[in-house]
Structure formats: structure tokens, C-alpha cells
Amino acid sequence: MKQSFYFLFFLLLGAAMGAPVNVSARAGRAQCGMNNPQANFPQGVQEKRTRTPAQRKIDSQLLYALYREQGLAEAKGVPSGELLVKFDEKGRAIITIRARVTKGVLAKVKSLGGEIISSSARYNDIRAHLPLSKLEELAALKDVRAIMPAEEATTNSAK
């Protein structure tokens, strides 16, 4: 009862102030294209909507680097400019993996041509070097929650 009172109150208040009133949630979704899977979204948004479950676990910066490596950057709508991905001397991305740290996950990183830098079961965190082309295979593991570019360590020095 209380909810319907507030709804009616704000509806009338908006109408009294001359605001356009649209009481249909369906109409609102239609206006912004949510009901239309072919809506005219920017290309980058379209790319995100078509990602596989494994790709959804991978940070966009890493996927953009992968698309550039594969020559698909323009087709996928990858923005120009520098990416926040660092690479080791072998060309592998330096990544942080948020996952349940198990022998299986660590072994999978190694079997994909990766190298473990550090891991912490307590913090569900693995830092590793991994070829970009192997990210999706790693992300497909159920124990992996997210893969992102590793952040560089910083120090705070007083001057």
C-alpha cells in the first residue's frame, strides 16, 4: 500500500511539473533498445554483448590486446590508443588471475605455456605470464573468476 502511494505521489508530482510521464516499463525499455537485440549500439558495446562466458571473465584490455594480435581490432571496434597490458621478454601478457588456487589451476597455467610468478590461496590470487591466445582456455576453468592485467607495484617516497 505504501509503495503504491509513493508511486502515485511521484507520478502526479512529475505530471504537475510538466515532465513527460511514461508508466510503461516496457515502453521505456523499447525506447532505449533493450527489447531489440539488433539495436543500434556502438560497435564496442555490440562486441561485449556477444562475448562467451569465458570471455566475460577476461578484462577488456586483455581482450583488446588479443584482438589486435589476431588482426581483428577494427572489426571488433577496439578503441585506438595504448592498452594497460604489459608483456614479458617472451611476449606473454603479465596477468592477475582471481581464482581458487589449486594444483589443477596452477598446472593448467603451466601447460598453456605460462609461468607462475606468485600465488596466494588465502587471497585467491595468481600472478603469471601467459600467451594472450591461451586466455580463453584458462578462463573456461570453473575455478577461475577473472583475469586482468597485472598492476605494477608502486612505492610512495616522501620528498
Side-chain angles (χ1 to χ4, degrees):
M1 179 71 181
K2 204 176 214 183
Q3 279 184 312
S4 57
F5 171 78
Y6 286 119
F7 175 77
L8 185 58
F9 174 77
F10 286 111
L11 182 66
L12 293 173
L13 180 65
M17 297 181 75
V21 177
N22 180 0
V23 294
S24 168
R26 181 176 290 164
R29 287 194 306 271
Q31 286 176 349
C32 70
M34 290 174 66
N35 289 336
N36 181 1
Q38 300 302 321
N40 191 19
F41 289 106
Q43 195 170 16
V45 175
Q46 289 282 11
E47 183 273 325
K48 283 187 176 186
R49 293 176 64 140
T50 62
R51 289 182 184 172
T52 66
Q55 289 172 333
R56 289 185 194 120
K57 295 180 185 181
I58 303 170
D59 185 270
S60 293
Q61 292 285 306
L62 289 167
L63 286 174
Y64 292 163
L66 175 62
Y67 298 151
R68 286 181 181 178
E69 186 178 88
Q70 295 173 335
L72 300 172
E74 188 174 330
K76 295 279 192 174
V78 174
S80 59
E82 186 179 347
L83 297 175
L84 303 175
V85 181
K86 303 294 183 210
F87 296 90
D88 69 2
E89 63 282 348
K90 294 181 180 178
R92 301 173 298 186
I94 305 170
I95 59 172
T96 296
I97 306 160
R98 299 283 185 231
R100 195 165 68 95
V101 179
T102 64
K103 290 179 183 180
V105 172
L106 297 173
K108 185 67 169 180
V109 170
K110 292 176 185 174
S111 74
L112 294 172
E115 178 185 346
I116 304 295
I117 301 169
S118 65
S119 66
S120 170
R122 179 178 181 183
Y123 295 108
N124 296 317
D125 184 83
I126 302 167
R127 184 173 283 224
H129 298 178
L130 190 73
L132 289 171
S133 62
K134 302 299 182 178
L135 290 171
E136 283 187 65
E137 195 172 339
L138 181 63
L141 297 177
K142 67 178 177 69
D143 286 331
V144 173
R145 287 187 331 211
I147 303 173
M148 62 205 78
E151 293 182 10
E152 292 184 14
T154 57
T155 58
N156 185 8
S157 60
K159 292 185 178 184

